[in-house]
Amino acid sequence: MNYCDVWIRGIKGIFSWQSKENINIGARVRVKLRGKLRTGIILKVSKNKPEFKTQDILEVWDEEFIPSAYIEIAREVAEENFSSLEKVLSLTIPEKFFSTKNPEKRNNSYALQIVPENIRGEKQKQAVEIIQKNQGIISEEELRKDISLVTIKGLIEKGIITEKKGKITSIFSAQQKTRPSFTLTVEQQKVVEEIRKSKKPVLLFGVTGSGKTEIYKKLAAEVSEDGQVLFLVPEIALTPQLIAELYSVFGDILAVWHSKLSEGEKVQEWSRIQSGEARILIGARSAVMIPLVNPKLVILDEEHEWTFKNEFAPRFQTHDIVEKIVSRFNAKLVLGTATPRLESFHKCEIGEWHRVDLPNRVHEVQLPEIEIIDLSNEAKKGNFSPISDSLEQELREILKQKKQAMIFLNKRGFAGSTMCKVCGHTFECPNCTSNMKMHERFGDQKFICHVCGHLENFVVTCPECEAENFQFKGWGTQALEKELKERFPGIKVFRADADSVSGKQDFEKLMDKFHEGQADVLLGTQMIAKGLDFDNVELVGVILADVGLNLPDFRSEERVFQLLTQVSGRAGRRKKRGRIVVQTFRPEEKIFQFVRHHDSEGFLQWQSELRKKSNMPPFSAMAKITFSDVKKEVAFKEAKKFFNFIKDNFKDGCYLAPAFFPRTHNKYHFHVFIREENKEKLIKFLKQIEIPENSKVDINPASLL
Ligand SMILES: [Zn+2]
Ligand SMILES: [Zn+2]
C-alpha cells in the first residue's frame, strides 16, 4: 500500500490517503475529506502506514501534474526561505485546478487555417468572418454564441479551421508567424558559440544596445525545436516591445504568464505548457515555478533587477531557483545584463559561472556621450528650476531637429514635501513616518503617501494656523511636466508614472504613440528606464541622479549605477550617437566617474573591494529578521529579546536597528541582522535556533531599509 500526503489548496494542513496502485509525487487526485469531494496534489508517497486510518484515493486526474523534480525544488525553496511548501506551490498553481470539476476538459478554441474559398452556406461564412475578426483564433465559448456545433464540425472536416486544446491568451493572435532567419553580427555569433559550449551558467555581460535579445532569440529558437525555454523578465507590463518582438518570431509556441491573467487564462497557458504545445514561456518571477515538461534553457533578462526577489513570503531570489532548475534538468542558464549584480559578478570571479562579454553596440553605434551637471552651480547662477542650462540647450536642439528626448525623474507627484510657511506644519501620513506628497489626479489635488498609498484631499488652508501659504520642496514628475510646458511653449510631453498610467495596456498605448512621434518628450519615473527602444530618441535627461544615493544600504550605489546605466541606454540606439545629461548635487561622488565612462567593470571592481573590506554580501550571507507591532514598545521588546539571545549565546556582528521608515501601514518595525560566511551556514544556524513565530525572515534581503 502507498500512503500519500495530499495538499488541498484552501485547506489548512496536509492529510494522508492511501492507494494500492503506484502513484507519483506531483499527481493531481480526487479524494474525499469529511464527506466532501476534493482535488489535491500529492506531495509525498511512503510505504509506512500512518497511525491513523486512511481512506482510498478516488481517482487520479493527472499522473504528472507537477513533475516530482519541481516538487523537490519547491521543497528546497521553502526550507531555505523559512516558508512552507504549500506557500511556494500556491505562487503559481491556478486555483481552478483544485475545483471539483477538471478545468482542463473545457475551453477549447478554434483557429483559422487558411482563408478559404470553398465555404458553403451563410453559417460557415459567418463563422469564418467571426474568427477573422478575432485575428484568426477564437475560444469555443465565444464562437458558440453565434455558431452551432454542426457548422463548426463542418469547418473542421474541410480543414478550414483547426481545434486547439487550451485557449491562447487574448493579448496575441495565434497565427503562426513566419520564422525569420537570424542575422547575427560576428560578435553575437561568437557569443552564441561560447554559450553553447559552456557547461556553467553564463553571465552575458553586454552594454545596452549590444543585441542581447538577438542572442536570446537565436538560442531559444534552437532549443525550442526539442525542448522548452523559460524566459524571465523583470516585469511583463514594462516590456511590451520585447514580448511583441518574441511573439513576432515565435508566434504560437510562446506562452505568457503574468499576474493580470484571469484564472481561466492561467489554466490554459499552464495546459499549453504541459502539453508541449507552448515551447517558450515568458513571464516575471512568478513564472519561475511553473513546471515545464522539458526545460532546456532558462534566460534571465536584466538579471540585476530587484524585482527578481520576491518580497513576500516565500521571500525567494529567482536566481537561486533557476539554478536549481537547470542543475536538475541539465539545462542551460543565461543571465543577461549591462550592469550585473555584485552577487553575479562575484560568481564569475570565483569561477562558478562563466562570463561572456559583449562590449560593443551593434552596427558600430557608439555609446552615448554623458555630461554630468553640478546642480549647485545652477543654484549659484540663480537657476532653481529642475532644468539646468545645459539640459535646456540640448532640449532646444532636439526640438529644432525634430528628434525626441526622454526625461527621467524617479519621483512622482508635484513636490517632495509641503510645509506651511507660517507655522511650519508638515503633512505626515497617519499610518507611516513619511511625508505625504502633493499630486494632481484627474484634475483634483491630493496628498498621497508613497509608502502605504494613503490618500487625502489637498487643503487650501493649514490645519494648524489656517494660513494659506505653503512651501513646496523638491520636484516630482508632475511639477516637471508643468515646468517643461512653460519653458518650451508648444512642446508635446507624455508623462509615464503611476498617476498617469494605470496598467499594461495604458503603458503600451502611450509607448506606441511616442514611437509614432506624437510627442517630443517622454517624461517618466523608472517605468521608462528599461527595455524601451525608440529610433528617434537622441537625448536622455536625468533630472536628479542623487535619488537613492544617500540611503543607509550597502547596495544604494549599485542600484543608482544600474538605473543610470539603464536610463542612458535609451538614447542613440540607432545611427546617431546619443547624448545624456545627468544632473546631480554631488558630482564629486566616485560613482559618477564610472557613469561618465560607461565603466561597469570599474564600478563592479570598486564595489567588490568595498564589500570585501566590510564583509558584506556577496562576501557573506545576511538574514534580516523583522519584528512589527502597532505598539512601538512591543515591537522593540521582541526584537531586543531575540537580538540579546543571539548576541549572548552565539555571535557578535549581529545588530538591531529600527526600519528606515520606522512606522508604516500603522505598525512599527525593527530589524535584527545576522551575518554568516555563506548562505548554507546561515540557514543551518537559523534552523538550529528558535526564530520567533511573529517575525519575518528574509535571507539575503534585497534591501536593508
Ligand atoms: Zn500653519
Ligand atoms: Zn503611509
Side-chain angles (χ1 to χ4, degrees), residues 276-506:
E277 184 195 324
R279 297 295 182 86
I280 301 170
L281 169 63
I282 183 162
R285 64 165 188 270
S286 67
V288 67
M289 284 302 294
I290 292 177
L292 305 189
V293 191
N294 183 21
K296 281 288 159 248
L297 170 67
V298 179
I299 295 164
L300 211 66
D301 188 28
E302 307 293 1
E303 70 92 26
H304 59 276
E305 287 289 342
W306 294 99
T307 46
F308 283 123
K309 168 93 189 195
N310 200 42
E311 292 287 5
F312 305 94
R315 295 180 178 73
F316 62 83
Q317 179 74 41
T318 306
H319 295 66
D320 297 341
I321 302 185
V322 294
E323 278 202 275
K324 290 178 198 298
I325 295 173
V326 298
S327 84
R328 271 177 210 263
F329 288 91
N330 199 18
K332 259 193 194 317
L333 173 57
V334 178
L335 309 100
T337 176
T339 51
R341 300 187 306 158
L342 255 293
E343 282 81 357
S344 303
F345 179 73
H346 183 66
K347 287 218 180 202
C348 295
E349 296 283 282
I350 59 174
E352 254 184 58
W353 291 1
H354 180 65
R355 174 177 151 182
V356 180
D357 289 7
L358 263 177
N360 300 309
R361 283 189 154 183
V362 285
H363 310 309
E364 288 163 13
V365 177
Q366 281 179 295
L367 282 165
E369 196 176 322
I370 300 183
E371 190 183 356
I372 312 276
I373 301 292
D374 185 349
L375 281 175
S376 45
N377 279 343
E378 298 293 313
K380 276 178 211 153
K381 286 189 283 183
N383 175 13
F384 296 99
S385 89
I387 298 164
S388 63
D389 290 349
S390 283
L391 182 56
E392 168 154 7
Q393 269 174 28
E394 296 283 352
L395 264 173
R396 293 212 182 278
E397 196 56 30
I398 285 290
L399 292 174
K400 209 165 84 189
Q401 294 178 12
K402 304 243 177 297
K403 299 286 179 193
Q404 289 175 302
M406 286 169 82
I407 296 195
F408 177 79
L409 175 58
N410 216 1
K411 284 177 177 237
R412 290 190 288 132
F414 246 94
S417 67
T418 307
M419 192 179 81
C420 170
K421 274 190 183 172
V422 176
C423 76
H425 177 82
T426 54
F427 295 84
E428 194 159 283
C429 171
N431 310 319
C432 313
T433 24
S434 169
N435 269 322
M436 292 198 289
K437 324 275 186 222
M438 212 265 264
H439 285 243
E440 241 173 50
R441 218 169 236 198
F442 310 114
D444 287 337
Q445 291 183 324
K446 301 269 183 205
F447 274 128
I448 301 180
C449 169
H450 285 190
V451 178
C452 74
H454 176 79
L455 199 109
E456 275 178 26
N457 285 331
F458 184 75
V459 287
V460 189
T461 53
C462 171
E464 299 264 348
C465 74
E466 298 191 348
E468 291 182 15
N469 199 355
F470 292 126
Q471 183 180 21
F472 299 105
K473 267 194 172 166
W475 309 303
T477 42
Q478 293 186 337
L480 185 58
E481 184 182 6
K482 207 170 150 219
E483 171 85 20
L484 279 169
K485 285 180 175 165
E486 279 171 13
R487 205 182 294 200
F488 303 91
I491 194 173
K492 274 177 275 165
V493 181
F494 281 163
R495 178 163 57 85
D497 58 30
D499 294 313
S500 62
V501 175
S502 70
K504 181 177 175 326
Q505 285 181 349
D506 256 22

Side-chain angles (χ1 to χ4, degrees), residues 7-253:
W7 166 55
I8 302 162
R9 194 171 174 157
I11 304 269
K12 222 178 162 195
I14 303 284
F15 300 93
S16 297
W17 279 266
Q18 61 181 33
S19 163
K20 279 194 201 85
E21 314 287 320
N22 279 338
I23 202 161
N24 292 329
I25 291 176
R28 189 159 66 115
V29 296
R30 296 249 278 167
V31 293
K32 215 171 215 180
L33 178 68
R34 299 183 199 114
K36 264 192 170 174
L37 272 181
R38 299 281 185 183
T39 307
I41 291 165
I42 296 188
L43 300 184
K44 205 172 138 192
V45 180
S46 154
K47 294 280 178 198
N48 301 330
K49 192 175 174 358
E51 284 168 16
F52 46 86
K53 202 169 167 281
T54 48
Q55 289 183 306
D56 284 327
I57 285 175
L58 300 176
E59 195 185 343
V60 178
W61 261 351
D62 303 273
E63 286 173 8
E64 279 188 58
F65 181 64
I66 300 176
S68 60
Y70 273 92
I71 302 269
E72 285 162 33
I73 292 168
R75 186 167 275 135
E76 281 179 25
V77 173
E79 284 277 305
E80 289 174 10
N81 294 288
F82 297 81
S83 187
S84 70
L85 177 54
E86 301 94 276
K87 264 208 172 126
V88 176
L89 293 174
S90 298
L91 275 175
T92 38
I93 306 178
E95 271 181 61
K96 263 202 171 174
F97 282 119
F98 294 85
S99 73
T100 39
K101 282 186 194 156
N102 191 346
E104 255 186 290
K105 298 223 165 110
R106 291 173 285 157
N107 289 326
N108 288 336
S109 61
Y110 301 102
L112 206 57
Q113 282 295 88
I114 42 166
V115 179
E117 284 156 11
N118 55 339
I119 316 167
R120 295 264 159 72
E122 277 307 303
K123 274 283 153 198
Q124 290 198 350
K125 210 174 129 199
Q126 191 193 347
V128 167
E129 272 169 15
I130 293 172
I131 302 175
Q132 268 172 334
K133 256 190 221 149
N134 270 274
Q135 287 136 346
I137 189 152
I138 193 166
S139 69
E140 179 166 13
E141 204 186 338
E142 260 316 291
L143 190 59
R144 285 291 302 278
K145 282 180 187 163
D146 300 300
I147 305 296
S148 73
L149 200 57
V150 178
T151 309
I152 295 172
K153 293 275 183 248
L155 287 167
I156 295 174
E157 264 168 37
K158 282 190 189 166
I160 293 169
I161 63 173
T162 47
E163 192 173 1
K164 294 193 169 266
K165 197 185 163 200
K167 191 171 66 180
I168 282 93
T169 52
S170 53
I171 327 170
F172 302 116
S173 87
Q175 280 157 349
Q176 185 76 44
K177 298 286 189 296
T178 45
R179 299 271 158 86
S181 55
F182 293 92
T183 39
L184 297 187
T185 64
V186 177
E187 204 179 12
Q188 288 169 339
Q189 191 55 44
K190 266 192 200 151
V191 166
V192 168
E193 294 292 335
E194 211 171 322
I195 294 173
R196 274 195 206 124
K197 270 188 270 164
S198 176
K199 299 262 177 276
K200 298 175 185 172
V202 173
L203 180 73
L204 178 55
F205 189 174
V207 296
T208 55
S210 58
K212 292 187 281 290
T213 310
E214 295 307 307
I215 291 166
Y216 302 148
K217 285 194 295 197
K218 174 81 177 165
L219 292 169
E222 283 174 7
V223 170
S224 61
E225 308 241 311
D226 56 357
Q228 283 174 314
V229 180
L230 176 61
F231 196 136
L232 297 174
V233 294
E235 239 173 299
I236 283 284
L238 300 184
T239 32
Q241 288 183 336
L242 174 66
I243 294 178
E245 201 180 332
L246 289 178
Y247 190 69
S248 76
V249 179
F250 296 110
D252 245 0
I253 64 168

